[in-house]
Amino acid sequence: MSAETTVLHEADYAVLDRTWDRKPGLRGWLGQCNHKTVGLRFIVTSLFMFLLAGALALVMRMQLAVPEANVTTPEVFNQLFTMHGTLMMFMFVVPMFEGLAIYFLPLQLGARDMPLPRINAFGYWAYVGGAGLLLTSIFFGAVPDGGWYAYVPLTTAEYSPGLNLDFWLLGVTFVEISAIVASIEIIVLIFRSRAPGMTLARMPIFAWANLVTSGMILAAFPPLVAASLLLEVERKLGTAFFDAARGGDPLLWQHLFWWFGHPEVYIQLLPGLGILAAVIPAMTRRRLPLRWLVVGSFIAIGIVSFALWVHHMYATGIPTQALQFFGAASFMITIPTAVIIFAYVGAVWTGHVRWTVPMLFAVAFLVVFILGGITGVMVAVVAFNWQIHDTYFVVAHFHYVLFGGSVFPIFAGLYYWFPKLTGRQPNRAAGLWAFWLMFIGFNVTFMPQHILGFLGMTRRLWTYEAGLGWTIWNVISSAGSGLLGLGVLISVVAFAVAWRRGEPCGDDPWQASSLEWSLPSPPPNENFAHLPVVTDQEPRWDAGSRPHPHETTAWYQELASPPEGQREAVLTTVADARPQAIVVLPGHSLWPLWLTLAILVGLVGVLFDLYVVAIVGLVGIFVTLVGWLLPDSLVDARPAADDDAPGDPAATGGGRR
């Protein structure tokens, strides 16, 4: 095929732009399924949840700043720490990582969209529905107050008779379903939608991190969904799954919860490590050392993390031999974690570092997470664990691990990818202020809490008496939380201002290596008019990987010139990413939203014991699923004869789907 016949014309770009653009008006806004829209919605919504959770934490720190304060009542304090933990664990970190993955993974992999756009949109609406259901508890005076891990028997109907825990169980379960849906979508994307030539060996490490994380979510979240449903059934119908007096077992809840809960720590860590695997090479101008050891360590962490759930149950009377096993597993997971940290430190040590704002957040992660890892080794020791169990030492430890392992990488990623999102750069001075306030504020907040734990201050304590030696450390901790909150606020304001009035920064201000930086900023509706051909792990640093229209084949041209309104993408093989078929993707659809609303109607019926309403919700679910599955716009508009065109994937064993 000659070069002239494969070069795109301007008219093709116009068709692609119209085909992948959203419909106008409110209906168009609600029905968007494109990965960039859905990903951005996840990012913005989860950032709001983060601000809300932070505000609740500041109120708690005000209450604890001095002895016998009366900023809140004990009942409100219980609600504050429950909602703070729930928002951070379920509504912020995981949805934020999902949003970043949904937005940037297709761009890094050379894909035009997620492979299942409607399911992608449903995942977002389910997240909003679950979070909304949880937050509406405020208007019913029934804010959850049983802690973010809802231990039984405290959370059974006998000891928590109101609707508080019902809001928690139903809302969190809906959000967990959203995470499961997103994980399925990400796995299919990574295995079947990579650019031609992007073998698994050439796949970005950010994609590897999300692949392992998604597999972990599929193994960890369903048991929590099952546990939540069992507890809700026990509260509503009086079953006895967790009632020891009637043959149940309260520890069953802890086993099911921590089967989810401890892998959740690494589910919140691995995507952050994946972000840093993008940020650090770009800012040090060198390839990441020990690449395959890093990928192997991700997989090892994903497996070993499921052998650690009893790590949180040392004080429940489990046999000593079992404790030794889980203690050994806790030590074992430090090995792959250390490999990853050494690889990142090695890149910083041997590279030409540019001290940009995202790089500072990346280094902050290394410092904070190493400190959190050291205390993690300490709490893995059974005898030590018994001494500090349920004290503020544990609070300090998991904030160093979780905040250090997820929030600092998230902000590194936000500052790193913001120019790609908007084409503009946040103010550097504001970014530096935000970083130093967050880094200093974080350490001033949580380092003293280690000492408070040694001094015997227990977690979830509403107030305390003077003269216990706790006051000075609580004053310091509360002051630090103010600095931390101010730093976060400056970042949010800097992002908001830069969105409209930031300095234009071009398409690739970092000279980075991955494919998203080959696109204009912000990316066009269709992402790639010409799909790239990848020949290296760092395609932007390898001239052979850059898209060359003169080297394209006929089916490349076909993808670049679709029938008006038909969204087409390429399906590639799992291991070596050979083009296998051209698929037609759905575009605008309101069915994901209708399905979410039908599920919400059903949940509200269960929540308020309005079983007629619950049945209406079930009928609505059935109707929307039928409407969803009707083959409306997914009929291939191309003539059938095109399937036999030379160079089409059909000629090499593939075809159209």
Side-chain angles (χ1 to χ4, degrees), residues 196 531 553-559 569-573 578-583 642-657:
L531 293 190
T553 58
W555 68 274
Y556 266 76
Q557 181 69 19
E558 184 176 327
L559 276 174
V570 66
L571 191 73
T572 52
T573 54
R578 283 184 294 104
Q580 192 173 37
I582 294 175
V583 293
D642 280 2
D643 286 354
D644 300 325
D648 189 275
T652 58
R656 303 184 66 81
R657 296 185 180 180

Side-chain angles (χ1 to χ4, degrees), residues 96-299:
M96 172 63 81
F97 282 134
E98 289 170 358
L100 292 172
I102 289 170
Y103 194 104
F104 290 105
L105 267 182
L107 303 180
Q108 280 200 348
L109 298 177
R112 284 183 168 172
D113 202 345
M114 300 295 280
L116 309 166
R118 290 184 182 180
I119 292 179
N120 197 34
F122 170 70
Y124 173 73
W125 291 122
Y127 164 51
V128 172
L133 184 64
L134 182 74
L135 294 177
T136 53
S137 63
I138 299 171
F139 303 106
F140 292 91
V143 179
D145 55 359
W148 72 269
Y149 40 71
Y151 273 179
V152 297
L154 175 65
T155 52
T156 59
E158 180 179 0
Y159 299 103
S160 296
L163 292 176
N164 311 55
L165 266 298
D166 298 304
F167 274 108
W168 189 92
L169 290 166
L170 297 176
V172 167
T173 298
F174 208 5
V175 173
E176 296 304 289
I177 290 173
S178 163
I180 293 170
V181 166
S183 298
I184 294 171
E185 181 88 351
I186 289 170
I187 289 173
V188 176
L189 167 77
I190 290 174
F191 278 135
R192 300 312 304 272
S193 299
R194 302 193 308 278
M198 184 181 282
T199 63
L200 290 176
R202 296 170 182 158
M203 198 166 71
I205 293 180
F206 179 62
W208 274 108
N210 278 283
L211 178 62
V212 176
T213 302
S214 298
M216 293 173 67
I217 287 175
L218 293 186
F221 281 31
L224 178 63
V225 172
S228 299
L229 294 177
L230 290 178
L231 182 53
E232 183 63 13
V233 169
E234 182 159 323
R235 289 175 57 83
K236 291 293 184 182
L237 304 179
T239 56
F241 297 108
F242 308 111
D243 186 352
R246 293 187 292 157
D249 186 354
L251 281 186
L252 173 61
W253 172 266
Q254 292 198 34
H255 283 295
L256 290 173
F257 185 89
W258 289 117
W259 175 262
F260 144 83
H262 200 84
E264 169 79 347
V265 173
Y266 299 96
I267 287 170
Q268 297 189 2
L269 171 65
L270 292 184
L273 293 172
I275 290 173
L276 299 187
V279 172
I280 291 177
M283 300 306 161
T284 57
R285 305 294 300 159
R286 81 177 310 284
R287 294 171 185 255
L288 189 68
L290 308 176
R291 173 185 168 87
W292 282 109
L293 279 178
V294 170
V295 173
S297 297
F298 285 167
I299 298 171

Side-chain angles (χ1 to χ4, degrees), residues 336-359:
T337 307
V339 169
I340 298 170
I341 297 299
F342 278 123
Y344 291 174
V345 172
V348 176
W349 189 269
T350 59
H352 302 283
V353 180
R354 290 179 291 176
W355 292 107
T356 61
V357 175
M359 186 62 192

